[in-house]
């Protein structure tokens, strides 16, 4: 398989969460790495949890990523104590 940087960038741009990730990285907001996100997706699809508790919402990057893998009726509770990030997380969600 041949993949170049331009194609990779284009494919990443198709993912709606990618824009949130780019902005977070530019603002130096800690978010999970793409590889970690991929592993998390696999684990969620395998285990099909009904409830998730996330400590440290930041900009809601991982909460959104996890929500894409949940079964109908499942819930995510996410907590953020840094007041400046809460409105950004709400807007992203």
């Amino acid at each position: 398989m041949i993949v170049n940087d331009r194609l990779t960038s284009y494919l990443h741009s198709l993912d709606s969460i990618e824009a949130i990730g780019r902005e977070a990285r530019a603002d130096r907001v800690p978010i999970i790495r793409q590889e970690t996100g991929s592993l998390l997706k696999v684990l969620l699809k395998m285990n099909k949890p009904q409830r998730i508790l996330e400590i440290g919402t930041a900009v809601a990057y991982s909460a959104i990523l996890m929500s894409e893998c949940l079964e109908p009726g499942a819930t995510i509770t996410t907590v953020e104590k840094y007041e400046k990030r809460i409105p950004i997380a709400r807007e992203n969600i």
Side-chain angles (χ1 to χ4, degrees):
M1 179 168 81
I2 299 173
V3 178
N4 63 35
D5 291 339
R6 195 169 165 192
L7 176 59
T8 301
S9 294
Y10 171 72
L11 292 173
H12 287 176
S13 74
L14 296 176
D15 192 355
S16 61
I17 197 169
E18 185 62 29
I20 295 170
R22 275 194 309 274
E23 188 174 316
R25 286 186 286 279
D27 293 341
R28 295 180 175 247
V29 175
I31 59 170
I32 61 174
R33 293 182 176 169
Q34 190 171 3
E35 297 81 8
T36 304
S38 295
L39 175 61
L40 188 55
K41 285 180 177 183
V42 169
L43 294 173
L44 290 170
K45 288 177 183 178
M46 286 173 43
N47 292 301
K48 299 180 178 160
Q50 288 299 300
R51 294 180 294 166
I52 294 174
L53 173 61
E54 177 187 47
I55 308 298
T57 308
V59 295
Y61 179 84
S62 56
I64 295 167
L65 181 132
M66 290 187 287
S67 73
E68 295 172 351
C69 302
L70 296 180
E71 300 285 319
T75 61
I76 299 175
T77 301
T78 184
V79 180
E80 178 58 55
K81 71 176 188 174
Y82 186 51
E83 294 288 329
K84 288 184 176 184
R85 291 206 180 114
I86 294 171
I88 297 167
R90 283 189 177 137
E91 182 180 320
N92 289 337
I93 291 171

